[in-house]
């Protein structure tokens, strides 16, 4: 289903072997993988957001310094693309009492791109439209990574974007 880890990953996570340094095995939203979508971010998320945005901005500056164009691809989770948030959050009892901003991470990166002058290729909406039209996931059921059809769809979307912005990316005709 693309939302859950394999049995071995689940077991390794429960015993603390897949945790990042300094992170406990707490199954709360604060430390959970979906905490990034909370409307009111508890620690460590504000610092994580600042760090992520600064890394993107620094990458863009380095690209420009080296004479290259820069763009960011936004890739939606299976829960986002297939509107499966209820399923994704079922393991977190407090999820129902929290406020969510599922577009928040994309909004912040998009605003940074507008301000800093780099392109954004948002793959979530084309994947969402495809899922609604076909009722077929473009991700592997065991981990959420794209299957061959997802890779093809992503390539088509990116190609259309690059061709439409050919001059901006200084691509030959």
């Amino acid at each position: 289903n693309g939302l859950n880890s394999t049995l071995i990953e689940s077991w390794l996570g429960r015993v603390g072997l897949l945790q990042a340094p300094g992170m406990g095995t707490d199954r709360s939203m604060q430390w959970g993988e979906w905490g990034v979508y909370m409307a009111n971010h508890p620690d460590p998320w504000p610092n994580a957001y600042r760090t992520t945005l600064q890394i993107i901005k620094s990458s863009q500056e380095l690209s420009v310094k080296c004479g290259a164009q820069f763009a960011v691809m936004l890739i939606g989770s299976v829960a986002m693309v297939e509107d499966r948030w209820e399923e994704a959050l079922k393991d977190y009892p407090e999820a129902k009492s929290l406020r969510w901003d599922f577009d928040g991470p994309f909004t912040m990166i998009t605003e940074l791109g507008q301000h800093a002058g780099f392109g954004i290729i948002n793959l979530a909406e084309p994947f969402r439209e495809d899922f609604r039209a076909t009722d077929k996931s473009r991700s592997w059921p065991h981990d959420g990574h794209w299957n061959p059809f997802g890779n093809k769809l992503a390539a088509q979307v990116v190609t259309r974007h690059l061709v439409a912005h050919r001059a901006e990316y200084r691509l030959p005709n």
Side-chain angles (χ1 to χ4, degrees):
N1 63 17
L3 295 176
N4 300 318
S5 52
T6 63
L7 290 175
I8 188 70
E9 289 170 332
S10 296
W11 180 81
L12 289 170
R14 280 194 305 277
V15 298
L17 295 176
L18 286 182
Q19 301 300 102
M23 305 270 293
T25 56
D26 184 2
R27 288 293 294 173
S28 74
M29 289 311 307
Q30 179 175 354
W31 300 107
E33 66 269 32
W34 303 113
V36 69
Y37 296 105
M38 293 171 63
N40 300 316
H41 297 102
D43 286 332
W45 293 112
N47 284 335
Y49 269 117
R50 281 190 292 279
T51 301
T52 299
L53 295 174
Q54 185 55 51
I55 289 169
I56 293 169
K57 178 74 173 109
S58 296
S59 298
Q60 186 252 350
E61 290 168 354
L62 181 61
S63 294
V64 170
K65 182 178 175 181
C66 293
Q69 291 301 111
F70 183 79
V72 171
M73 281 195 310
L74 301 175
I75 303 170
S77 65
V78 173
M80 175 185 280
V81 168
E82 299 176 11
D83 194 25
R84 292 170 54 192
W85 289 112
E86 188 173 319
E87 180 183 345
L89 299 172
K90 73 178 177 357
D91 292 335
Y92 302 97
E94 75 272 29
K96 291 183 179 166
S97 64
L98 298 172
R99 285 186 351 152
W100 297 97
D101 183 1
F102 297 120
D103 294 321
F106 282 23
T107 300
M108 283 191 223
I109 295 170
T110 300
E111 288 173 356
L112 175 63
Q114 291 167 345
H115 176 74
F118 59 80
I120 300 290
I121 305 171
N122 186 342
L123 295 174
E125 196 54 39
F127 271 74
R128 186 179 292 125
E129 290 169 4
D130 178 78
F131 180 76
R132 288 178 182 155
T134 66
D135 199 33
K136 291 183 180 171
S137 181
R138 301 306 179 191
S139 298
W140 293 112
H142 64 281
D143 70 1
H145 286 90
W146 296 330
N147 62 28
F149 300 104
N151 282 293
K152 182 178 179 180
L153 177 58
Q156 291 168 341
V157 172
V158 171
T159 298
R160 282 193 302 267
H161 175 86
L162 293 174
V163 168
H165 298 91
R166 181 182 305 260
E168 177 183 339
Y169 292 107
R170 297 188 301 256
L171 299 174
N173 286 326

